[in-house]
Amino acid sequence: MKKILIVIFCLLQFSFIFAASAKYESENYNLNIRYNDVITPGDAIFVRMNITVPKNHKKTKTEPEKKATLQLLQDKKVIESAPFYHLKNKKTNYTEMLCGIPVSLWLKEGNYSIKVIYADSDSDIKEFILPSKLEMRTFPEEILKLDERNTSIKTDNSPERAAQIDKLNNILFTTMPSDIFSLKKFTTPTESQRYTAYCGDRRTYVYTNGKSSTSLHYGNDYGVPTGTEVHSCAAGKVVLAESRISTGWSVVVEHLPGLYSLYYHMNELSVKEGDMVTQGQLLGKSGATGLATGPHLHWEVRLNGSAVRPEFFLNNFTFEED
Ligand SMILES: [Zn+2]
């Protein structure tokens, strides 16, 4: 049976979010862990670990690659899980790894824990429960009456729309361990502070025939006039830049393994698929294309396929030191 170790922890303030840290020391290696210890619906949990080898440790000829997994558990059941990816470094006897998992926008009160499974080698595997706390959040509800044009977009069952949804989902559920393009905190895609909707809003769409459907709004909407500049929230790679039935002219940028930002309803694009972009680079101009009741920018962030609150990423979520 695997031993669960409770690690020593303390609270430190990193930029403007509270980050917790934990340490584990053994004969063969030392772990230093930084993570956000608050589990909140719609946020993410990021854990950064560095592993150092003690000076008196006997060196083996071939050091096995270190592996780790991050899990979110409800009672004892794993509800989210992802492997850590390695960050590049030039120091010897030093390994740095990062991992993020989303916390569902639907998360209910319960008994949750954050676990790290660390394999220093195939025969040296340890599990750590990281101390954490749950903070619930309530999301507003709104009713949107759709006109003829928006009703037909929302109820479009064409193979073309289905293919567009499949294509986007394939991108958003792709994790490329080597795609580390940005460790910096995000910046907002527009200077406007005029939010017209938030990520997690519970939305009821009422169609022209009187029927309705309920869904979650996955991004933050900025009520900006058509032609407003839209900038990339972080450095990355453009993995989609095209017109879609429901989201209009759309851009998706990959920033970290499994971490993407999305920009919808644009009027024109300035980038194409495959382009590398810097933080703040112009992606295009906003508009009202696709399902939109007026000109606005929809900015969304996805982690391992799940929508997460973009505001979370305005913090130093990777615990990067300047
Ligand atoms: Zn929106």
Side-chain angles (χ1 to χ4, degrees):
M1 223 177 84
K2 283 173 197 159
K3 233 190 185 167
I4 293 179
L5 297 159
I6 304 289
V7 290
I8 324 151
F9 78 107
C10 59
L11 286 171
L12 293 170
Q13 200 177 2
F14 277 88
S15 62
F16 51 94
I17 61 165
F18 278 96
S21 69
K23 256 187 209 325
Y24 172 76
E25 290 179 0
S26 77
E27 216 176 281
N28 298 328
Y29 61 86
N30 298 328
L31 286 183
N32 268 297
I33 301 171
R34 276 171 294 167
Y35 69 107
N36 55 297
D37 62 344
V38 180
I39 300 167
T40 303
D43 279 5
I45 297 160
F46 269 78
V47 179
R48 185 162 176 162
M49 276 202 301
N50 64 54
I51 302 110
T52 48
V53 178
K55 282 200 182 80
N56 52 359
H57 171 71
K58 297 187 286 302
K59 267 206 192 114
T60 50
K61 270 183 208 132
T62 48
E63 276 292 325
E65 206 200 25
K66 287 129 182 33
K67 289 184 193 137
T69 306
L70 174 61
Q71 295 180 335
L72 177 64
L73 296 97
Q74 180 172 21
D75 298 314
K76 286 191 171 117
K77 193 171 151 265
V78 177
I79 56 169
E80 279 295 339
S81 176
F84 278 74
Y85 38 89
H86 286 252
L87 303 179
K88 284 182 200 81
N89 75 79
K90 291 192 181 89
K91 288 184 246 173
T92 50
N93 290 336
Y94 183 84
T95 307
E96 201 166 22
M97 295 197 275
L98 183 67
C99 185
I101 49 173
V103 180
S104 171
L105 284 159
W106 296 108
L107 196 86
K108 299 250 153 52
E109 288 277 358
N111 178 28
Y112 299 96
S113 49
I114 303 169
K115 186 196 268 188
V116 171
I117 304 166
Y118 175 70
D120 197 59
S121 67
D122 291 341
S123 58
D124 186 356
I125 301 168
K126 285 198 171 58
E127 297 189 353
F128 304 93
I129 296 286
L130 302 179
S132 61
K133 50 187 176 282
L134 178 70
E135 263 174 30
M136 292 308 290
R137 159 179 282 133
T138 51
F139 297 95
E141 287 175 33
E142 62 170 349
I143 296 168
L144 278 182
K145 282 198 178 128
L146 300 184
D147 61 8
E148 209 69 62
R149 189 186 76 90
N150 283 320
T151 296
S152 76
I153 292 173
K154 192 77 182 132
T155 54
D156 183 336
N157 291 318
S158 68
E160 193 191 350
R161 184 169 177 231
Q164 289 176 354
I165 293 169
D166 277 355
K167 182 184 174 183
L168 181 60
N169 280 333
N170 279 333
I171 291 171
L172 299 177
F173 283 91
T174 299
T175 300
M176 301 293 281
S178 59
D179 286 358
I180 295 160
F181 303 125
S182 172
L183 292 168
K184 283 191 186 167
K185 58 187 177 189
F186 287 5
T187 48
T188 53
T190 164
E191 271 148 36
S192 170
Q193 294 293 315
R194 206 180 151 246
Y195 292 101
T196 51
Y198 287 96
C199 175
D201 290 356
R202 270 61 178 163
R203 264 192 183 171
T204 301
Y205 292 102
V206 181
Y207 305 136
T208 42
N209 64 6
K211 288 190 178 162
S212 65
S213 71
T214 303
S215 60
L216 275 195
H217 184 243
Y218 278 167
N220 285 348
D221 286 348
Y222 295 94
V224 288
T226 294
T228 304
E229 289 192 350
V230 175
H231 303 274
S232 186
C233 63
K237 182 182 179 182
V238 176
V239 289
L240 182 139
E242 63 186 28
S243 176
R244 304 177 71 249
I245 293 169
S246 58
T247 63
W249 284 100
S250 306
V251 174
V252 179
V253 183
E254 180 192 18
H255 305 290
L256 280 173
L259 182 64
Y260 298 88
S261 63
L262 300 81
Y263 311 80
Y264 287 166
H265 313 298
M266 291 173 43
N267 205 44
E268 54 178 270
L269 305 188
S270 322
V271 290
K272 56 182 193 312
E273 211 177 294
D275 284 356
M276 296 304 296
V277 292
T278 55
Q279 186 169 41
Q281 188 172 326
L282 186 70
L283 299 176
K285 292 195 176 148
S286 69
T289 57
L291 181 85
T293 54
H296 73 284
L297 169 67
H298 172 106
W299 177 42
E300 182 174 322
V301 177
R302 296 280 194 117
L303 177 60
N304 306 344
S306 297
V308 275
R309 295 172 67 248
E311 296 92 322
F312 175 83
F313 299 88
L314 301 174
N315 298 302
N316 183 10
F317 67 98
T318 68
F319 313 107
E320 181 77 342
E321 280 157 27
D322 304 314

